[in-house]
Amino acid sequence: SQLSESRGEALADALKVNSILTFLDLGSNDLRERGGEVMAEALKVNSTLTELHLYDNELGERGGVAMAEALKVNSTLTSLDLDDNNLT
């Protein structure tokens, strides 16, 4: 079963307070633009995640812009896979 936008929001909330997880693969789900936005918000405050795979999630332009903004402030993420997301 795929992770939907709403479940993505719940996971993003958990990532905001995560202090252990360093790797997360959410590739080939159904997060869409809203899911990309909430994941980006989580990345702004998460200080443990070093690798995140979000390939094939249809994040779209809004999700891509949100990710770019998050990367400006996140200093721990070293690998981010956004392949196949229709980022324009």
Side-chain angles (χ1 to χ4, degrees), residues 21 74 77:
L21 192 67
N74 181 295
L77 197 67

Side-chain angles (χ1 to χ4, degrees), residues 1 7 15 20 26-27 32 34-35 40 42-43 60 63 70 73 78-79 83:
S1 141
R7 290 191 176 133
L15 282 176
I20 298 172
L26 296 175
R32 304 201 172 268
R34 179 68 186 139
L43 285 179
V73 296
T78 58
S79 177
D83 191 40

